[in-house]
Amino acid sequence: MVGFTSFAERTDPEVVARIVDAAFRQLAEVVAEHGGTVDKYMGDSMLAVFGVPVAHDDDAERAVAAGLAVRALGATWPSPSGSTPAR
């Protein structure tokens, strides 16, 4: 998310944790809806895999569809400055 580091530096850590947790829940739902699995969370990043534990012929397409859906979801969130949608 553009501006996340500066937002996190000037915001109460508990508030940042709640925002990140809520975002990860929404992102994990998108991944699951497209047949993916969240492999791990790393700070403010999430790694999702497709084709694990069961491979499908269309795993690559599912991954791309999930990525586009994640991008669309992120566009609905306010930016850390509150002025524009997050990216």
Side-chain angles (χ1 to χ4, degrees):
M1 180 183 309
V2 173
F4 179 79
T5 300
S6 63
F7 168 77
E9 289 173 344
R10 67 179 189 277
T11 306
D12 183 293
E14 291 180 8
V15 172
V16 173
R18 283 195 301 272
I19 291 169
V20 170
D21 289 345
F24 279 156
R25 281 193 300 277
Q26 291 179 351
L27 295 171
E29 287 176 18
V30 170
V31 169
E33 288 169 2
H34 290 85
T37 303
V38 174
D39 182 52
K40 65 179 93 175
Y41 298 94
M42 303 159 290
D44 61 354
S45 300
M46 180 180 81
L47 176 65
V49 294
F50 292 80
V52 177
V54 178
H56 303 91
D57 290 337
D58 63 345
D59 285 322
E61 290 86 359
R62 292 173 190 237
V64 169
L68 293 172
V70 162
R71 185 173 177 157
L73 175 63
T76 68
W77 296 336
S79 73
S81 67
S83 60
T84 59
R87 354 177 235 150

